[in-house]
Amino acid sequence: MAAAAAARKTAGVLALFDVDGTLTAPRKEVTPEMLEFMKRLRENVTVGVVGGSDLVKISEQLGKSVITDYDYVFSENGLVAHKDGKLIGTQSLKTYLGDDQLKEFINFTLHYIADLDIPIKRGTFIEFRSGMINVSPIGRNCSQEERDDFEKYDKAHNVRPKMVSVLREKFAHLNLTFSIGGQISFDVSVLNS
Ligand code: M1P
């Protein structure tokens, strides 16, 4: 049955969708209409989703059964990959860097944030994921309104670009990739390795 359904799909086509800002509003839950659309699309083509957040957060947004609802789910910008509900690949920042280098990076980043003069700060400035570290100068547990305000402030004052440029230079030897994708944070990963 599943094989017959798969054969009916248009061969060689993979429709890949970003999560935040595409399937959902940033960090919000998917709407029933979008879920229904994706379900119908999957009857015709292979469908994958890719998001910067970890699988826990993507599941909060797209539903608990996300890894079986889509053919492919790439969380942490593809550093953790699921196909047909099964884990097929993962990248570990901890293994790549080792605890000493990781600690040096985290310590430096937290000191930088401590010295940063921005209008407000909340909590969870660093979120450690499997293949990446997510760094937020305001702190990830700010409210939606504070998140929106920070985004505007950042556009005017380049808080994140300036911070990324300092970290890039200081940790050039680690060959890290920095990506400013969302509203309040940036991702640090080992995509180049
Ligand atoms: O999916 C885009 C980004 O979404 C979040 O960013 P922010 O909280 O800054 O809006 C994070 O999950 C980030 O990792 C991700 O890349």
Side-chain angles (χ1 to χ4, degrees), residues 18-21 26-27 50-54 57-58 61 76-77 127 129 132-140 142 147 150-151 160 179-188:
D18 179 33
V19 180
D20 289 309
R27 294 296 305 123
V50 55
S53 299
D54 60 19
K57 288 206 173 66
I58 289 180
Q61 292 174 261
E76 301 188 29
N77 289 330
E127 185 175 89
R129 301 175 183 168
M132 68 162 78
I133 290 176
N134 179 262
V135 180
S136 174
I138 181 178
R140 295 206 62 77
C142 58
R147 171 180 265 277
F150 177 83
E151 189 181 21
R160 288 183 294 173
S179 137
I180 302 177
Q183 289 182 288
I184 56 157
S185 64
F186 58 88
D187 295 325
V188 185

Side-chain angles (χ1 to χ4, degrees), residues 13-113:
V13 175
L14 167 65
L16 195 56
F17 294 84
D18 179 33
V19 180
D20 289 309
T22 303
L23 295 179
T24 74
R27 294 296 305 123
K28 296 283 186 226
E29 276 183 43
V30 68
T31 62
E33 292 77 16
M34 180 62 86
L35 269 186
E36 182 54 30
F37 169 79
M38 295 299 281
K39 201 170 152 197
R40 277 194 283 122
L41 182 67
R42 196 184 172 203
E43 287 164 11
N44 297 296
V45 294
T46 303
V47 176
V49 297
V50 55
S53 299
D54 60 19
L55 190 58
V56 174
K57 288 206 173 66
I58 289 180
S59 305
E60 285 167 7
Q61 292 174 261
L62 297 183
K64 284 197 177 68
S65 56
V66 66
I67 57 169
T68 49
D69 285 346
Y70 300 96
D71 300 292
Y72 292 91
V73 176
F74 301 107
S75 47
E76 301 188 29
N77 289 330
L79 295 166
V80 178
H82 284 82
K83 180 179 186 230
D84 298 329
K86 293 193 184 68
L87 183 68
I88 56 165
T90 184
Q91 175 77 272
S92 164
L93 189 63
K94 194 173 132 194
T95 306
Y96 174 78
L97 290 181
D99 269 319
D100 285 349
Q101 292 194 120
L102 205 46
K103 193 171 67 178
E104 193 191 346
F105 181 87
I106 291 172
N107 285 351
F108 183 89
T109 303
L110 287 174
H111 277 296
Y112 184 98
I113 293 173

